[in-house]
Amino acid sequence: MRLRNGLLAIAVLSGLAACGQGALTASGPPPPVGAEDLAKVVLKVGDQKGGSKTLLTTAGLADTPYRIEWSTFTSGPPLLEAASAGAIDIGGVGNTPPIFAAAAKAKIAIVSSGKGNVESDVLLVPSGSPARTVADLRGKNIAVAKGSSAHGQILLNLKKAGLSTKDVKLNFLQPSDAYAAFTQRQVDAWAIWDPYTSQALLEAGARVLVDGKGTANGYTFQVAGQPALADAGKNAAIKDYVTRIAKAQRWSDAHRPEWAKAWAAETGLKIEVTTKATDRGPDLPVALDDTVVASEQELADAFTADKVLPGRVDFASFVDKRYAADLGSVG
């Protein structure tokens, strides 16, 4: 499962985060809270349909010692807008939304990471398309959600083909609108991720022009709002939540048929679609380490070089490793 996927011009994060210890104050994370105080917490979580809520429920990990208030988003960028504004406390996104949020000086911090397959991060064309290589898309219309992981995928594949985003016409559409445009031949190609990839291949006669092998890093992130991380109760809830997500990801890998069935029931997708998507392998937890940060910095620099972003983004300054020990204990 890949959850990815408006910029807010707001205050710059503290330089302390560059050390990987959090974008808050010199005093560091707030102290732990007891069970009684944790029970009073309402954690506001951003999600996508068939995402974290379904995953936790299916894995038997939804019974939390605090209350979760779920909000559904179409992709990562609007979810991170909400986190920065304090409308939600945390949510899962793909590899590119945090870069765009960081470029806007959003009040967010990346607190955990995962890694999924890159074969489902694709550039699709209709079955009858004459395009055989990425270079064949010069001057063509490509649908993509702005600031999503698919946006990064387009950038890297164009760069590999000796092109830039200026050589094509990007149509910024959310996945449901992009699917309609693609099936109605209103665009020449579509950059997207699973389960939309599997749906288009099985139901819309799509063909993979290129996937993420050799370009995409496959990373996903849990991203929290700074105000939530500064609150003792919510900080404790977030620590528990990201650990549960990591455990649920491990569960989904070991129970792919069960996860595919639950995913289909929640989204209304055909079981053949969710089975194809889960067969590729789910996101799995990985350490939020220097390798992850360096890969994300490389992607951010590519956006800057392409002049999609106005200046350099220091990705490390938006990373907070306070939950590393707890996440490292997840088997």
Side-chain angles (χ1 to χ4, degrees):
M1 177 185 63
R2 189 65 53 80
L3 302 178
R4 323 284 181 171
N5 346 220
L7 303 172
L8 300 173
I10 47 188
V12 179
L13 295 177
S14 164
L16 288 172
C19 298
Q21 298 302 314
L24 296 171
T25 66
S27 59
V33 300
E36 185 176 346
D37 288 329
L38 184 58
K40 299 175 184 177
V41 173
V42 177
L43 187 67
K44 298 179 290 185
V45 180
D47 197 14
Q48 297 180 48
K49 192 172 183 180
S52 298
K53 181 180 180 180
T54 306
L55 180 63
L56 290 177
T57 301
T58 310
L61 294 167
D63 187 14
T64 59
Y66 45 88
R67 184 164 69 86
I68 295 181
E69 181 180 285
W70 297 94
S71 297
T72 303
F73 295 83
T74 56
S75 63
L79 187 154
L80 292 190
E81 280 191 42
S84 182
I88 62 170
D89 301 316
I90 190 168
V93 298
N95 64 356
T96 302
I99 292 172
F100 275 66
K105 307 298 187 292
K107 294 181 179 179
I108 53 96
I110 296 98
V111 295
S112 70
S113 55
K115 185 177 177 63
N117 74 81
V118 296
E119 289 82 3
S120 59
D121 292 332
V122 299
L123 194 55
L124 297 174
V125 294
S127 58
S129 171
R132 292 289 178 246
T133 68
V134 174
D136 294 332
L137 295 179
R138 184 188 292 271
K140 302 298 184 181
N141 289 288
I142 303 174
V144 63
K146 186 175 183 179
S148 68
S149 59
H151 195 173
Q153 179 67 346
I154 283 180
L155 178 71
L156 295 176
N157 274 300
L158 289 172
K159 182 180 179 181
K160 189 175 181 181
L163 303 176
S164 77
T165 54
K166 310 302 184 295
D167 295 308
V168 297
K169 300 171 185 176
L170 296 184
N171 290 242
F172 293 123
L173 299 170
Q174 290 300 313
S176 59
D177 294 328
Y179 185 80
F182 182 79
T183 56
Q184 295 168 18
R185 304 298 177 94
Q186 295 173 352
V187 294
D188 302 295
W190 181 23
I192 194 57
W193 57 87
D194 258 334
Y196 304 102
T197 296
S198 296
Q199 183 181 24
L201 291 173
L202 290 172
E203 299 178 4
R207 172 168 56 84
V208 175
L209 185 66
V210 65
D211 63 24
K213 293 192 293 289
T215 52
N217 60 25
Y219 291 127
T220 59
F221 300 101
Q222 290 293 323
V223 183
Q226 284 190 52
L229 292 171
D231 179 90
K234 291 199 173 186
N235 173 64
I238 290 171
K239 179 174 73 170
D240 177 84
Y241 176 78
V242 296
T243 304
R244 286 172 186 265
I245 289 293
K247 290 178 179 178
Q249 289 173 332
R250 293 289 187 196
W251 177 91
S252 68
D253 189 34
H255 301 82
R256 295 185 188 186
E258 296 98 317
W259 171 229
K261 184 178 179 180
W263 199 2
E266 175 66 20
T267 60
L269 291 168
K270 294 179 180 179
I271 188 66
E272 293 83 2
V273 171
T274 57
T275 297
K276 186 176 181 66
T278 55
D279 281 349
R280 293 193 179 97
D283 295 343
L284 293 173
V286 296
L288 185 54
D289 57 16
D290 291 345
T291 298
V292 175
V293 173
S295 181
E296 285 294 290
Q297 186 62 58
E298 183 179 0
L299 179 57
D301 290 345
F303 272 110
T304 299
D306 199 60
K307 302 190 185 304
V308 176
L309 297 179
R312 188 177 188 273
V313 170
D314 180 13
F315 189 83
S317 68
F318 289 82
V319 170
D320 190 317
K321 299 181 181 179
R322 69 178 67 184
Y323 308 125
D326 299 277
L327 290 164
S329 67
V330 176

